[in-house]
Amino acid sequence: MLQKSIWKILCVLVFLLILTTPALAGGWAVVTLDKVPPEVRAGTPLSLGFMVRQHGQTPADWVTPFLVAHNRTTGESLRIQAHNEGAAGHFTVDVTFPSEGVWDWEISPEPLVGTVQFEPLTVLAPMPGQPAAQPAPAVSAPADPMASVRISLRWTAVALLLAALGTAALSLNRQRKVAKVGNW
């Protein structure tokens, strides 16, 4: 009978531990571009419009979105903050890619979890007679703002698991003492 109780407690604790990560599922967003740019040239300013919707539905005009781009060949990186423009949840970011090549890019609607990655952009050479763009300063990708919350929740779950195991062990010990006293 005691073994069944211990197994039940352990199953409940494992189930609670599994639930700690999905509990963070409320902070996600969908980013929808107004249109995909037809042609992108190095050194030519490009204005991209997009909507940010929390949970894919509610316009989120309170976020701070960033466009983060990385050139696969040269290693150049860009991180540019977008600004509100138009309807609630609509943003615009003005970007000038400094060099040609394939650029991986994403929009990160901070402080919401994760980023939205788009198909790589092929940036063409500048138009003839156009001045060369300045190299972009190297930046690192933005840190995950929810990483510390996830770590805290996992450690809290581990602490609760250990506390429950300790309580179960004490309960077993007390029940054994009671059984010994009752059977002498």
Side-chain angles (χ1 to χ4, degrees):
M1 174 140 155
L2 292 176
Q3 283 184 326
K4 285 184 181 181
S5 297
I6 291 173
W7 279 110
K8 286 179 185 177
I9 291 171
L10 285 175
C11 287
V12 168
L13 290 174
V14 167
F15 180 72
L16 289 174
L17 186 61
I18 291 170
L19 289 179
T20 58
T21 301
L24 297 172
W28 60 274
V30 171
V31 175
T32 310
L33 294 176
D34 293 347
K35 63 179 180 175
V36 177
E39 180 180 275
V40 180
R41 293 205 172 263
T44 302
L46 173 67
S47 184
L48 291 170
F50 58 92
M51 283 292 297
V52 178
R53 290 184 180 87
Q54 186 175 17
H55 304 125
Q57 296 187 9
T58 307
D61 57 355
W62 50 269
V63 298
T64 306
F66 289 91
L67 178 137
V68 179
H70 178 78
N71 187 314
R72 291 181 182 176
T73 306
T74 66
E76 293 170 289
S77 294
L78 300 172
R79 185 172 194 260
I80 303 166
Q81 184 175 342
H83 55 276
N84 284 81
E85 186 176 282
H90 188 267
F91 295 87
T92 302
V93 63
D94 299 315
V95 60
T96 302
F97 291 93
S99 61
E100 61 186 279
V102 178
W103 286 77
D104 293 315
W105 66 294
E106 61 192 27
I107 294 178
S108 174
E110 297 176 6
L112 297 175
V113 175
T115 59
V116 179
Q117 296 178 343
F118 297 97
E119 290 294 319
L121 278 177
T122 300
V123 177
L124 304 173
M127 294 292 284
Q130 182 179 358
Q134 296 295 320
V139 294
S140 59
D144 182 3
M146 296 298 289
S148 60
V149 174
R150 283 190 198 95
I151 292 169
S152 297
L153 281 174
R154 287 189 180 125
W155 279 111
T156 302
V158 168
L160 287 172
L161 178 63
L162 292 174
L165 288 174
T167 303
L170 286 174
S171 176
L172 274 175
N173 194 23
R174 286 186 188 140
Q175 288 178 359
R176 286 184 185 153
K177 285 182 181 179
V178 169
K180 282 184 183 178
V181 170
N183 291 334
W184 43 316

